[in-house]
Amino acid sequence: VKERKAFGQPVASFQNTQFKLAELATEVEIGQAFVDNLLSAHVNGEDIVSEVSMAKYWASALQKRLTGECLQLFGGYGFMKEYPISQDYADAAVPPIYGGTNEIMKVIVARDLGLA
Ligand SMILES: Cc1cc2nc3c(=O)[nH]c(=O)nc-3n(C[C@H](O)[C@H](O)[C@H](O)COP(=O)(O)OP(=O)(O)OC[C@H]3O[C@@H](n4cnc5c(N)ncnc54)[C@H](O)[C@@H]3O)c2cc1C
């Protein structure tokens, strides 16, 4: 985004790009803190099945949305296989599916909330 120009300016100079990347960087930090916290809890032998299910669906959904938002910043080039973001976007479709789909993760969380 710093290199590519649109309307004579780098895409990174548009406030929308700056806000988008600031938001995504913030969400990555939040996700990292959540996962780090769960790792500590796991090492301490705590029962974190519900929280891990939350983290699995939330973090993988974030990855999918994040790569889509970043691909958008590349414009049409983002769709081209020569650009790594294209592969990142395709790869991000898998984590919400494998290891138990995100819908099943939510079933586990709902059960823990006494809803199912
Ligand atoms: C790249 C890749 C690698 C894999 N590696 C492994 C591996 O190493 N070992 C292994 O054992 N498996 C592996 N899998 C399989 C993976 O775990 C399954 O794909 C996954 O558990 C989903 O099962 P399914 O594909 O049968 O989908 P289905 O169970 O048929 O689900 C289809 C859709 O229905 C939804 N759904 C199903 N049941 C419910 C429900 N009760 N409530 C709400 N929605 C529901 C799902 O969320 C999904 O959206 C891998 C899959 C992929 C894509």
Side-chain angles (χ1 to χ4, degrees):
V1 291
K2 289 179 183 165
E3 290 168 15
R4 179 165 169 71
K5 289 192 174 171
F7 298 102
Q9 319 176 37
V11 171
S13 71
F14 297 122
Q15 198 175 51
N16 175 66
T17 306
Q18 296 166 8
F19 282 6
K20 186 57 67 189
L21 291 175
E23 288 166 11
L24 293 171
T26 303
E27 288 183 273
V28 168
E29 288 297 325
I30 292 168
Q32 188 68 61
F34 190 21
V35 171
D36 287 348
N37 193 40
L38 290 174
L39 280 171
S40 297
H42 177 63
V43 168
N44 291 334
E46 294 171 34
D47 177 3
I48 52 168
V49 170
S50 186
E51 290 81 358
V52 165
S53 304
M54 292 175 187
K56 195 275 177 182
Y57 96 72
W58 191 85
S60 61
L62 171 62
Q63 181 188 357
K64 193 171 176 180
R65 182 165 53 81
L66 184 148
T67 52
E69 302 269 21
C70 290
L71 186 152
Q72 184 74 10
L73 296 175
F74 282 75
Y77 286 118
F79 188 67
M80 303 296 167
K81 288 207 166 79
E82 289 85 349
Y83 285 78
I85 188 64
S86 169
Q87 188 62 53
D88 293 341
Y89 179 68
D91 290 346
V94 180
I97 296 171
Y98 63 16
T101 66
N102 284 5
E103 291 73 24
I104 296 301
M105 295 301 111
K106 291 175 194 176
V107 167
I108 294 168
V109 174
R111 213 176 272 160
D112 203 57
L113 292 172
L115 302 173

